[in-house]
Amino acid sequence: MKILHTSDWHVGKVLKGRSRAEEHKAVLAGVIDVARREQPDLVIVAGDLYDTAAPTPEATRLVTRALTALRRTGADVVAIGGNHDNGPALDALRPWAEAAGISLRGGVRENPDEHVIDGTTAGGERWRLAALPFLSQRYAIRAVEMYELTAAEATQTYADHLGRILARLTEGFAEPDRVHLVTAHLTVVGAATGGGERDAHTVMGYAVPATVFPGTAHYVALGHLHRSQRVQGPCPIRYSGSPLAVDFGEQENVPSVTVVEVTATTAAQIREVPIPAAAALRTVRGTLAQLAEIEAPDAWLRVYVREQPRAGLREEVQELLPRALEIRIDPELVPAPGSGTRVAQRAGRSPRDLFADYLDSRGHDDEGVRDLFDELFEEVEH
């Protein structure tokens, strides 16, 4: 059978105030084109379909149309909720999804069998997929209790809970002559973050060892980390990565989807297919004079300016580089705390003196800003 594995679409993403809706349309059209060309038997979307738990109607339309288009290629489609998604809201779409032939699992349900999906390809290959949406630590404990596995003790870790849940969902993976698959949205120990993930859900308290996955699995399709990569473990484990760079921390990632070919008796053959539709993200550095000489790339830019801060500097940079979304003073020019600057003592000092100390500590030598502060302070005082 052939599988197309994708994740972390983050539809609805706004980058520094800039909507990426048109890029998402192009990116998802690219994913659909890959599906039409490759003709997979199964498409797995491993979580974070949306960037926010309250997606706009436009974002919802884009995701549902993309899932429908993937289903129309002839593939079975399974999508799970990620940490950015609203699990109950995705589950509310299940009647629509089932009518469209799509398996949607937004959150963990009380019946574990609902997370085990069986299918057969047109060529007769049988497969079974254990689909585990993102679980917060609080709900991981609840899920363990629901499945009556063991008492959830306070000393047990998040990894312990997920290990027990996955063991329950994959306990039928010993059957021969069937492809056994897992999809989940989580962090595996040793995997590299992509740069734009939500930090609170990638710290070590949320990381699980690769040993939570059974050696009987033919392939594990993961979402959550935005860099495409294989993870060492008892079976083939892979993050497909995001099909577009979500934030500037991901500018070195190669947006792609993963195509897997596997049978019940042969190992998974894995390859990446690039999705180049989104605008690239790039970082540039320099003085205004140097930035003026740059041949502006066709990309969204993060600019580190090697100039002392002053009023109007941002506007000057944007005039030179209209696609600059993030403009900062180069960190190398910002004085380190306590590096020879006076520590402001509040007692007996005027607000203007305190504000002047603050500007000095930031390397911001602009008399116009001080004058503006004086005007504003005078208005407030009178």
Side-chain angles (χ1 to χ4, degrees), residues 13-20 23 246-248 279-282 284 299-303 314 317-318 321-328:
K13 173 68 177 178
V14 175
L15 180 61
K16 311 302 177 185
R18 173 81 60 167
S19 170
R20 306 191 75 188
E23 290 178 80
V246 172
D247 210 337
F248 284 104
L281 304 181
R282 296 287 181 264
V284 296
W300 299 119
L301 301 178
R302 175 173 60 183
V303 182
R314 172 180 292 274
V317 173
Q318 286 181 320
L321 300 170
R323 291 178 68 85
L325 296 185
E326 183 177 339
I327 301 170
R328 298 184 179 183

Side-chain angles (χ1 to χ4, degrees), residues 55-116:
T56 64
E58 179 187 22
T60 301
R61 280 194 300 271
L62 185 52
V63 166
T64 54
R65 288 174 180 174
L67 294 174
T68 301
L70 290 169
R71 177 70 180 116
R72 285 176 179 165
T73 66
D76 287 306
V77 177
V78 177
I80 62 173
N83 61 305
H84 281 252
D85 297 317
N86 184 325
L90 283 181
D91 282 331
L93 290 173
R94 282 181 64 170
W96 161 82
E98 289 167 5
I102 298 164
S103 297
L104 190 58
R105 301 293 183 267
V108 175
R109 307 296 286 262
E110 292 190 9
N111 181 2
D113 293 338
E114 288 195 45
H115 295 279
V116 180

Side-chain angles (χ1 to χ4, degrees), residues 247-261:
D247 210 337
F248 284 104
E250 303 179 11
Q251 61 185 13
E252 301 303 324
N253 296 353
V254 178
S256 64
V257 297
T258 299
V259 174
V260 183
E261 296 183 69

Side-chain angles (χ1 to χ4, degrees), residues 167-214:
R168 171 64 179 83
L169 298 182
T170 61
E171 61 187 13
F173 274 23
E175 183 179 334
D177 302 324
R178 185 173 62 193
V179 177
H180 300 125
L181 307 166
V182 177
T183 185
H185 193 88
L186 46 74
T187 303
V188 176
V189 174
T193 59
E197 300 89 351
R198 185 171 288 169
D199 289 343
H201 292 152
T202 56
V203 294
M204 290 309 294
Y206 267 95
V208 302
T211 50
V212 298
F213 302 110

